[in-house]
C-alpha cells in the first residue's frame, strides 16, 4: 500500500499538531499544513503539486473552507471534512465524508480509506 | 354571532360605535407586528370615523412612510416624504392633532401631492404624542369641518395604536433575543467541541513524551491549567479580543508573574483574537515550563525579558515579539526539536498568526522570536 500524501487545513494549532501526528501514525505523509484559507489556496495554485487528498476543518476562524473544497473538487482531489459542527451547511458538499471533533482515530482511519479508494 | 336582541350581559351590537371602538382596541392588543397594527388601524379607523379614507403613517428617521391605507381611491401607500413636507410630519413634529376643513386653503399641505387624490378635508393625529412614532390620517372627499366626535375617536384609536406598536416592538425584540440565544447555544456547542479537541491534542502530545504516569499527570495538569487560565481571561472579556499584556500576566502567574524584575514585559498595547489568545497563552506556558526546567527561571539569579514592538515601516505592519532568558547559567541542553512546546511555538503560533517563529537555545537560556503581520487576529489596540 503506497503512502497517502495529504494536506491538512485546520486553524487551531493544538488540533493541527495532533492531527499531523495521527496522520503520520496511520502511515500518511502530511505534505502541507495550513491554518488559513488563503495560505492553502495559494499553495494549491501551483498545479504541479501532487497529493492524494485533504483533511479540511470547516470553520477557519469564522471563514468557511468551502472555496478550497470546490477548488479541490475541480482538480479531482478527494477530501474529508473535520468539524465540531453537526453538519455541513453548504449543500454542494452535503454528501462529502465527514469526521467529528474531537477526532476518533478509528473514524480518521476509515476516512483515510475512503480517500485511498477515491484517489 | 351577535344579534340585535342581545340578552342582558352580552356585548352590545356591532353597530354601536363604542362597541366597535372596544373591539378595535382588543384587536390591537392581540397583533404582534407593525404590519398587523397597520392593518387593524386602517380598517377600524375608517369604520369608526366614517371617513372616505384612512392612512397609517410611520415615522422612519426624517421621513414619513405611508405604510397602509383604506380609502375610496388611491392615496400614497408605500411612498415616503420628508417629515417637513407633509401634514403627517407636521402632526408628529408638532405633537398635535391637526384638523383641516379645506386642504387647498392650508399652506401646510403639499398641494401637488393631493391633486391626484379625492381628498378635500382631513384630520391627522400623532401616535404617542410625547414622542410620535406614527400618525393616523382620516380623509374626506368634500370640504367639511370634521366633528369633535370624529377627532376624539381618531385620537382614542391613536392611543391604542401607540400601545400596540410598543407591543410589536417588544415582541420583535423578544424574537431577536430568542434567535440570538439559539445562535449562542450553537456557538457554545462548537466552542466546547473545539476545546475538547484541544484537550485531546494536549493529552495525546503529553502522553507521547511522558516518561512516567506521574510525569504525564504533572505535565498534563499544567497544560490544562494554562488552557483554563486562557479561557478565564476570555470569559472575563466576554470573548472579545484579549490584550497581549493580560495574556502574558495570566500565563506567567504560576511562575511568579510579570513582576518587572525577574520577569519583565514591555511593548505597545496589542490585542489578540480569542483563538489566538489561547494559542499564545499555551505557547508562553510552554516557554515558562521549559525555562524552569532547563533555563533561566530554574536559577535564583535568572530572569526573562519579554519585548515586543510594531514595525510601522514594513509594507504590512509587523509585530516583532521576543522572549529572551537571561542569567540561566546552567548548562542548557536543548530539548528535542520534536517536543510539543517547540512545535507549538515554531509551528502553531506562527501558523495561527501567519508569521514566522524561531526558538534558539543560547548559553543564557532560550530565545523565542516571532514576526507576524498585523491582521484581524492580532492588532494594535
Amino acid at each position: 500500500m503506497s503512502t497517502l500524501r495529504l494536506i491538512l487545513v485546520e486553524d487551531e494549532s493544538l488540533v493541527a499538531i495532533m492531527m499531523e501526528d495521527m496522520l503520520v501514525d496511520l502511515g500518511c505523509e502530511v505534505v502541507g499544513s495550513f491554518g488559513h484559507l488563503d495560505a492553502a489556496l495559494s499553495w494549491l495554485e501551483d498545479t504541479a503539486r501532487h497529493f492524494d487528498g485533504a483533511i479540511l476543518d470547516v470553520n477557519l476562524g469564522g471563514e468557511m473552507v468551502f472555496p478550497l473544497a470546490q477548488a479541490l473538487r475541480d482538480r479531482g482531489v478527494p477530501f474529508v471534512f473535520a468539524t465540531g459542527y453537526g453538519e455541513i451547511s453548504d449543500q454542494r458538499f452535503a454528501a462529502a465524508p465527514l469526521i467529528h471533533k474531537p477526532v476518533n482515530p478509528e473514524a480518521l482511519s476509515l476516512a483515510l480509506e475512503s480517500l485511498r479508494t477515491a484517489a | 354571532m351577535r344579534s340585535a336582541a342581545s340578552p342582558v350581559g352580552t356585548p352590545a351590537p356591532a353597530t354601536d360605535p363604542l362597541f366597535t371602538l372596544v373591539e378595535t382596541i382588543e384587536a390591537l392588543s392581540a397583533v404582534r407586528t407593525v404590519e398587523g397594527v397597520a392593518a387593524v388601524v386602517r380598517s377600524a379607523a375608517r369604520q369608526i370615523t366614517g371617513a372616505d379614507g384612512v392612512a397609517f403613517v410611520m415615522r422612519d428617521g426624517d421621513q414619513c412612510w405611508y405604510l397602509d391605507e383604506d380609502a375610496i381611491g388611491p392615496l400614497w401607500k408605500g411612498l415616503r416624504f420628508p417629515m417637513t413636507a407633509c401634514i403627517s410630519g407636521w402632526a408628529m413634529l408638532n405633537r398635535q392633532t391637526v384638523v383641516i376643513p379645506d386642504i387647498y386653503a392650508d399652506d401646510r399641505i403639499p398641494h401637488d401631492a393631493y391633486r391626484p387624490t379625492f381628498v378635500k378635508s382631513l384630520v391627522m393625529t400623532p401616535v404617542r404624542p410625547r414622542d410620535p412614532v406614527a400618525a393616523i390620517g382620516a380623509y374626506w372627499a368634500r370640504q367639511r369641518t370634521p366633528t369633535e366626535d370624529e377627532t376624539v375617536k381618531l385620537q382614542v384609536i391613536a392611543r391604542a395604536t401607540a400601545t400596540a406598536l410598543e407591543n410589536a416592538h417588544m415582541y420583535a425584540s423578544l424574537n431577536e433575543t430568542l434567535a440570538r440565544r439559539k445562535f449562542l447555544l450553537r456557538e457554545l456547542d462548537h466552542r466546547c467541541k473545539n476545546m475538547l479537541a484541544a484537550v485531546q491534542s494536549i493529552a495525546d502530545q503529553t502522553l507521547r513524551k511522558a516518561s512516567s504516569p506521574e510525569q504525564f499527570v504533572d505535565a498534563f495538569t499544567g497544560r490544562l491549567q494554562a488552557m483554563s487560565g486562557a479561557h478565564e481571561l476570555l470569559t472575563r472579556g466576554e470573548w472579545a479580543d484579549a490584550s497581549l499584556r493580560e495574556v502574558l500576566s495570566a500565563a506567567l502567574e504560576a511562575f511568579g508573574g510579570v513582576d518587572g524584575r525577574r520577569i519583565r514585559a514591555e511593548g505597545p498595547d496589542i490585542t489578540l483574537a480569542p483563538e489566538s489568545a489561547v494559542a499564545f497563552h499555551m505557547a508562553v506556558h510552554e516557554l515558562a515550563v521549559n525555562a524552569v526546567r532547563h533555563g533561566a527561571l530554574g536559577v535564583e539569579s535568572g530572569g526573562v525579558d519579554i519585548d515586543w514592538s510594531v514595525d510601522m515601516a514594513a509594507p504590512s505592519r509587523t509585530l516583532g515579539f521576543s522572549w529572551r532568558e537571561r542569567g540561566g547559567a546552567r548548562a542548557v541542553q536543548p530539548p528535542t526539536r520534536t517536543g510539543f512546546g517547540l512545535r507549538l511555538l515554531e509551528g502553531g503560533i506562527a501558523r495561527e498568526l501567519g508569521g514566522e517563529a524561531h526558538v534558539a537555545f543560547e548559553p543564557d537560556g532560550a530565545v523565542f522570536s516571532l514576526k507576524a503581520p498585523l491582521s484581524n487576529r492580532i492588532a494594535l489596540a
Side-chain angles (χ1 to χ4, degrees), chain B residues 266-315:
Chain B
E266 263 180 50
D269 287 337
I270 294 285
T271 57
L272 294 166
E275 290 76 11
S276 299
V278 174
F280 221 100
H281 193 116
M282 296 298 298
V284 170
H285 172 79
E286 293 302 320
L287 282 167
V289 167
N290 185 70
V292 167
R293 209 170 290 155
H294 309 287
L297 293 181
V299 291
E300 196 71 31
S301 59
V304 182
D305 292 328
I306 306 167
D307 295 282
W308 66 94
S309 60
V310 173
D311 183 356
M312 305 294 275

Side-chain angles (χ1 to χ4, degrees), chain B residues 100-323:
Chain B
I100 301 180
D102 176 4
I103 60 158
Y104 294 104
D106 194 307
D107 59 8
R108 289 170 300 186
I109 295 283
H111 296 142
D112 287 346
Y114 279 71
R115 258 177 219 113
T117 72
F118 65 85
V119 179
K120 299 286 187 298
S121 58
L122 64 81
V123 181
M124 181 64 75
T125 192
V127 171
R128 202 176 73 176
R130 70 190 145 80
D131 178 21
V133 287
I136 304 171
Y139 308 90
W140 285 267
R142 59 192 171 86
Q143 285 180 22
R144 65 190 282 278
T145 303
T147 65
E148 174 78 16
D149 185 56
E150 288 162 346
T151 306
V152 168
K153 279 174 180 161
L154 200 64
Q155 284 171 330
V156 169
I157 295 170
R159 285 173 66 172
T161 302
T163 311
L165 282 177
E166 268 170 35
N167 283 345
H169 284 304
M170 241 146 63
Y171 198 74
S173 99
L174 184 65
N175 272 338
E176 210 172 281
T177 307
L178 285 174
R180 171 103 186 121
R181 180 166 166 268
K182 206 171 155 188
F183 166 79
L184 284 176
L185 281 174
R186 193 173 138 77
E187 196 55 29
L188 182 66
D189 179 50
H190 176 60
R191 289 233 163 106
C192 278
K193 282 184 176 143
N194 265 354
M195 204 199 321
L196 286 175
V199 169
Q200 183 192 17
S201 169
I202 291 173
D204 182 72
Q205 291 298 316
T206 311
L207 189 60
R208 278 170 197 267
K209 299 284 180 269
S211 51
S212 69
E214 290 73 23
Q215 203 260 318
F216 169 81
V217 171
D218 207 36
F220 183 65
T221 306
R223 284 168 175 164
L224 273 194
Q225 274 167 351
M227 199 165 181
S228 163
H231 278 93
E232 200 176 296
L233 189 68
L234 290 174
T235 306
R236 238 184 3 245
E238 294 184 343
W239 279 82
D241 292 352
S243 99
L244 174 58
R245 205 181 304 279
E246 278 172 9
V247 169
L248 290 171
S249 297
L252 294 168
E253 204 180 308
F255 303 90
V258 179
D259 58 3
R261 294 189 306 277
R262 189 164 158 84
I263 302 181
R264 233 177 29 76
E266 263 180 50
D269 287 337
I270 294 285
T271 57
L272 294 166
E275 290 76 11
S276 299
V278 174
F280 221 100
H281 193 116
M282 296 298 298
V284 170
H285 172 79
E286 293 302 320
L287 282 167
V289 167
N290 185 70
V292 167
R293 209 170 290 155
H294 309 287
L297 293 181
V299 291
E300 196 71 31
S301 59
V304 182
D305 292 328
I306 306 167
D307 295 282
W308 66 94
S309 60
V310 173
D311 183 356
M312 305 294 275
S316 60
R317 294 188 296 171
T318 305
L319 171 78
F321 175 93
S322 76
W323 161 290

